[in-house]
PDB file of all heavy atoms in Angstrom:
ATOM      1  N   LEU O  16      11.710  18.878   0.533  1.00 94.00           N
ATOM      2  CA  LEU O  16      10.638  19.556   1.166  1.00 94.00           C
ATOM      3  C   LEU O  16      10.911  20.999   1.449  1.00 94.00           C
ATOM      4  O   LEU O  16      10.134  21.840   1.265  1.00 94.00           O
ATOM      5  CB  LEU O  16      10.139  18.785   2.432  1.00 94.00           C
ATOM      6  CG  LEU O  16       9.540  17.389   2.194  1.00 94.00           C
ATOM      7  CD1 LEU O  16       9.305  16.740   3.472  1.00 94.00           C
ATOM      8  CD2 LEU O  16       8.131  17.530   1.464  1.00 94.00           C
ATOM      9  N   THR O 162     -26.164  16.295   2.767  1.00 98.00           N
ATOM     10  CA  THR O 162     -27.512  15.728   3.290  1.00 98.00           C
ATOM     11  C   THR O 162     -27.182  14.256   3.794  1.00 98.00           C
ATOM     12  O   THR O 162     -26.229  13.684   3.376  1.00 98.00           O
ATOM     13  CB  THR O 162     -28.491  15.611   2.155  1.00 98.00           C
ATOM     14  OG1 THR O 162     -28.070  14.622   1.119  1.00 98.00           O
ATOM     15  CG2 THR O 162     -28.717  16.996   1.464  1.00 98.00           C
ATOM     16  N   PHE O 217     -11.250  10.911  -3.955  1.00 98.00           N
ATOM     17  CA  PHE O 217     -12.157  11.550  -4.882  1.00 98.00           C
ATOM     18  C   PHE O 217     -13.579  11.139  -4.765  1.00 98.00           C
ATOM     19  O   PHE O 217     -14.521  11.635  -5.444  1.00 98.00           O
ATOM     20  CB  PHE O 217     -11.707  11.495  -6.364  1.00 98.00           C
ATOM     21  CG  PHE O 217     -10.587  12.580  -6.670  1.00 98.00           C
ATOM     22  CD1 PHE O 217      -9.336  12.379  -6.255  1.00 98.00           C
ATOM     23  CD2 PHE O 217     -10.985  13.657  -7.389  1.00 98.00           C
ATOM     24  CE1 PHE O 217      -8.349  13.339  -6.554  1.00 98.00           C
ATOM     25  CE2 PHE O 217     -10.065  14.609  -7.736  1.00 98.00           C
ATOM     26  CZ  PHE O 217      -8.724  14.481  -7.373  1.00 98.00           C
ATOM     27  N   ARG O 262       5.164 -14.392  -3.178  1.00 91.00           N
ATOM     28  CA  ARG O 262       4.652 -14.634  -4.486  1.00 91.00           C
ATOM     29  C   ARG O 262       3.514 -13.801  -4.823  1.00 91.00           C
ATOM     30  O   ARG O 262       2.389 -14.265  -5.392  1.00 91.00           O
ATOM     31  CB  ARG O 262       4.340 -16.121  -4.727  1.00 91.00           C
ATOM     32  CG  ARG O 262       5.645 -17.048  -4.547  1.00 91.00           C
ATOM     33  CD  ARG O 262       5.191 -18.527  -4.595  1.00 91.00           C
ATOM     34  NE  ARG O 262       4.885 -18.907  -6.000  1.00 91.00           N
ATOM     35  CZ  ARG O 262       5.598 -19.468  -6.869  1.00 91.00           C
ATOM     36  NH1 ARG O 262       6.918 -19.591  -6.501  1.00 91.00           N
ATOM     37  NH2 ARG O 262       5.302 -19.819  -8.009  1.00 91.00           N
ATOM     38  N   GLY O 325      -0.708  20.431 -13.163  1.00 97.00           N
ATOM     39  CA  GLY O 325      -0.255  21.708 -13.409  1.00 97.00           C
ATOM     40  C   GLY O 325      -1.080  22.576 -14.374  1.00 97.00           C
ATOM     41  O   GLY O 325      -1.435  23.707 -14.245  1.00 97.00           O
TER      42      GLY O 325
END
Side-chain angles (χ1 to χ4, degrees):
L16 288 173
T162 67
F217 275 78
R262 297 174 73 94

